[in-house]
Amino acid sequence: MSLEMTHDDVRAALAAEALGALDGEEAEAVRAHLAGCDECRRELESLRETAAALAYAAPQVPMDADRSARLRARLVARAAADRGGASADAPPPANRIGALASGDEESGVIPISRARGRRGMMGGGWLAAAAAVLLLIAVGAYAARMKGRYEALSDRYASLDQERTQLVQAIAKRDSTVAALSGPGVQVIELASTQRRAPGGRMFWDPATARWTFFAHDLPALRPDRDYQLWLITPAGPVSAGTFKPTPDGLATVQATYALPRDQLRAVAVTEEPEGGLPRPSGQPLILGTYGE
Amino acid sequence: MPDTLVPAQADRELVRRMAAGDEAALGELHDRFSTLVHSVVLRIVGDPDDAEEVLEETFWQAWRQAGRYEEGRGGISTWLVMMARSRAVDHVRSRRRFREERWEQLPEPAEMDGGGADAGEPSPLESAQADEVRRVVAQAVAKLPPEQRETVELAYFRGMSQTEIAEATGQPLGTVKTRARLALQKLREALAVLREDGR
């Protein structure tokens, strides 16, 4: 340490240190003093906390959402690989260098000892330089390979993570459907066709949870500007349970939550309506199932 | 930075989980602090691609050093912000060396406005407390005499050393040091109000 600083000199320089603005020699002198001075260490810590708060003086700009999601996935993937021992299928660079130096047959690099043997006339310094260049090339190639591998793994992880999220959501939805069908008090109303064709449906109603789960089959295809609408027929009139479009195979599923006293359901019906549905059915039901004694 | 800034205990738990090798905790740390860290980094490097690179380096450093984080030495946000600032400044410096540019030729970052409370979308960190901190810091920065504000701006957001600041502003080195000290002391007093409020 060439610069001598008194305790007071250091105190005066701590703000600049907290701001990361000390020049080399002075920074060294301050750090040397800090090693033996609790008072200055505490003061620096306090000034650092203050300096860190300056982050709040910058305009708060969140990272672009896609960019942020990709970064997050990369970080978590890197951390998972780091934790899981990235060396499981590839030795870490330090070991790899050791292997190269000792003449790894798979490395594609001529081992130093062998090179010397073949070219005994060459000077040792030249050889060492050549070997160092070869080593650098090998390490560079290894790093590039690892980088490519890491990027591929990151992408793969992100894609699997997304797939997993979708599966969890799909399973949760299915669990919810099964729960709505299998409750002890679930009521089943069969809907039969009122037409010559044979569409049909089945409504599962769990009054305890107010969940309605409806399946239909063989529904005729709709024009683009039309929907099917599901109705709960009560003494006060029909209540819409939602609109839907069938699959190309004529299948449909509708789920709804609507609390209805058990003695208030007279029937369940499906009508064809303008897209988006109507407050009251405009035509005759395509399928209808009555309920009650 | 005041302890009340963020739920400190929950943050420390995140760092403990990271130290134990739980990568999900790193994801949560990112969710919690990415807006704050991104804001300060973007302010320093000025380019979204560079900011992303610095953010990745910062959170990676946090992962690797989680085991060495000392609880007695400041909050998690201080730890992260100081790592991020240091890396961002290194990034700018290496770019400057690479291009052999002078500070005057670098793109001028926006003036430190302390007006962050009005900018950007809310993040998970955007709590009433964080807004309060932002308001207090903005007020304290605004109250600094212009020459002190400039010193802090050049050091913190431009990564200039005190010697470089002295050259750039034509002031003696001792004056630069004094300005830095007075500015940080005033900011610390302003933040002490927050600390007391939160306790």
Side-chain angles (χ1 to χ4, degrees):
Chain A
M1 180 178 67
S2 55
L3 185 69
E4 289 294 329
M5 289 180 81
T6 65
H7 176 80
D8 288 345
D9 292 340
V10 171
R11 288 284 290 195
L14 287 177
E17 168 68 2
L19 287 166
L22 276 191
D23 297 287
E25 206 179 32
E26 199 170 352
E28 271 180 41
V30 165
R31 281 161 208 166
H33 175 85
L34 286 170
C37 180
D38 283 347
E39 185 192 338
C40 284
R41 270 207 306 274
R42 279 195 300 274
E43 173 67 3
L44 176 62
E45 204 51 52
S46 164
L47 289 170
R48 274 210 180 116
E49 296 260 320
T50 306
L54 282 168
Y56 287 90
Q60 297 295 291
V61 185
M63 189 180 251
D64 166 79
D66 286 346
R67 198 187 269 269
S68 183
R70 283 196 304 271
L71 171 60
R72 187 190 199 280
R74 275 203 309 277
L75 282 167
V76 174
R78 277 180 81 178
D82 187 49
R83 182 212 54 189
S87 60
D89 57 357
N95 295 350
R96 188 74 175 171
I97 290 165
L100 290 172
S102 66
D104 184 347
E105 288 296 336
E106 294 174 4
S107 69
V109 179
I110 300 168
I112 295 169
S113 56
R114 241 187 281 159
R116 184 173 291 143
R118 274 206 292 268
R119 298 176 190 167
M121 300 301 285
M122 297 170 80
W126 204 94
L127 262 181
V133 168
L134 286 174
L135 192 61
L136 276 178
I137 292 170
V139 170
Y142 173 74
R145 223 168 39 238
M146 283 302 107
K147 184 163 184 286
R149 192 175 157 77
Y150 153 68
E151 280 165 2
L153 282 172
S154 284
D155 288 349
R156 180 78 183 130
Y157 180 90
S159 138
L160 285 172
D161 195 44
Q162 191 179 6
E163 198 175 307
R164 178 188 156 281
T165 305
Q166 285 165 351
L167 284 172
V168 167
Q169 285 167 348
I171 289 169
K173 196 171 170 190
R174 187 147 303 181
D175 283 351
S176 162
T177 302
V178 169
L181 303 185
S182 57
V186 171
Q187 311 290 303
V188 185
I189 303 109
E190 296 278 350
L191 282 71
S193 174
T194 61
Q195 313 287 313
R196 275 197 204 90
R197 291 189 58 178
R202 186 168 292 150
M203 174 68 92
F204 295 82
W205 173 31
D206 188 353
T209 59
R211 292 288 306 277
W212 302 78
T213 307
F214 174 72
F215 299 100
H217 57 85
D218 294 309
L219 291 168
L222 288 167
R223 292 207 314 268
D225 59 343
R226 306 287 285 176
D227 272 347
Y228 286 119
Q229 192 163 7
L230 180 64
W231 302 96
L232 312 177
I233 313 294
T234 72
V239 175
S240 174
T243 59
F244 61 94
K245 291 185 190 295
T247 66
D249 298 337
L251 301 175
T253 307
V254 180
Q255 289 201 305
T257 303
Y258 182 75
L260 187 68
R262 195 181 289 260
D263 60 357
Q264 291 295 295
L265 183 69
R266 294 287 175 272
V268 177
V270 172
T271 59
E272 187 189 320
E273 305 293 354
E275 197 164 35
L278 293 174
R280 288 276 180 270
S282 64
Q284 290 302 307
L286 177 72
I287 49 177
L288 177 74
T290 55
Y291 176 77
E293 284 72 33
Chain B
M1 198 167 327
D3 301 335
T4 54
L5 238 186
V6 287
Q9 210 44 47
D11 293 339
R12 287 180 178 155
E13 180 57 27
L14 280 183
V15 175
R16 269 194 290 275
R17 281 170 53 202
M18 281 162 58
D22 179 358
E23 71 271 11
L26 177 61
E28 289 173 40
L29 190 81
H30 168 270
D31 294 344
R32 195 158 168 66
F33 291 108
S34 71
T35 295
L36 178 67
V37 176
H38 180 254
S39 302
V40 71
V41 167
L42 184 67
R43 180 76 181 73
I44 294 167
V45 302
D47 173 83
D49 290 334
D50 289 346
E52 181 179 350
E53 198 178 320
V54 172
L55 238 67
E56 180 159 2
E57 287 171 6
T58 302
F59 280 105
W60 186 245
Q61 187 179 351
W63 167 260
R64 297 308 295 262
Q65 297 185 352
R68 276 182 274 156
Y69 169 73
E70 294 168 47
E71 295 196 2
R73 299 187 58 214
I76 304 293
S77 52
T78 300
W79 180 56
L80 271 178
V81 162
M82 291 317 254
M83 278 194 294
R85 186 203 156 270
S86 169
R87 285 190 165 270
V89 166
D90 286 349
H91 197 87
V92 171
R93 281 183 182 150
S94 68
R95 196 175 55 181
R96 179 174 48 153
R97 272 200 300 277
F98 181 68
R99 294 183 185 164
E100 295 183 335
E101 283 178 338
R102 293 175 57 76
W103 278 107
E104 293 73 20
Q105 294 166 315
L106 282 174
E108 193 68 27
E111 185 71 13
M112 179 164 70
D113 57 2
D118 301 330
E121 295 293 314
S123 78
L125 180 63
E126 299 282 340
S127 61
Q129 270 183 342
D131 284 344
E132 174 69 0
V133 174
R134 199 162 290 128
R135 193 184 59 74
V136 170
V137 172
Q139 276 182 0
V141 167
K143 277 188 196 163
L144 291 177
E147 65 278 6
Q148 289 177 21
R149 195 159 64 227
E150 180 188 52
T151 304
V152 165
E153 158 73 23
L154 293 176
Y156 192 80
F157 289 113
R158 299 285 293 268
M160 289 170 80
S161 74
Q162 54 183 4
T163 309
E164 288 172 317
I165 296 171
E167 283 169 11
T169 58
Q171 294 295 320
L173 189 57
T175 305
V176 173
K177 274 187 200 171
T178 306
R179 286 176 180 174
R181 194 173 68 247
L182 292 176
L184 278 195
Q185 281 170 354
K186 283 177 194 167
L187 288 173
R188 178 164 60 182
E189 282 164 23
L191 291 172
V193 174
L194 272 180
R195 202 189 284 267
E196 282 156 16
D197 284 353
R199 283 179 174 169

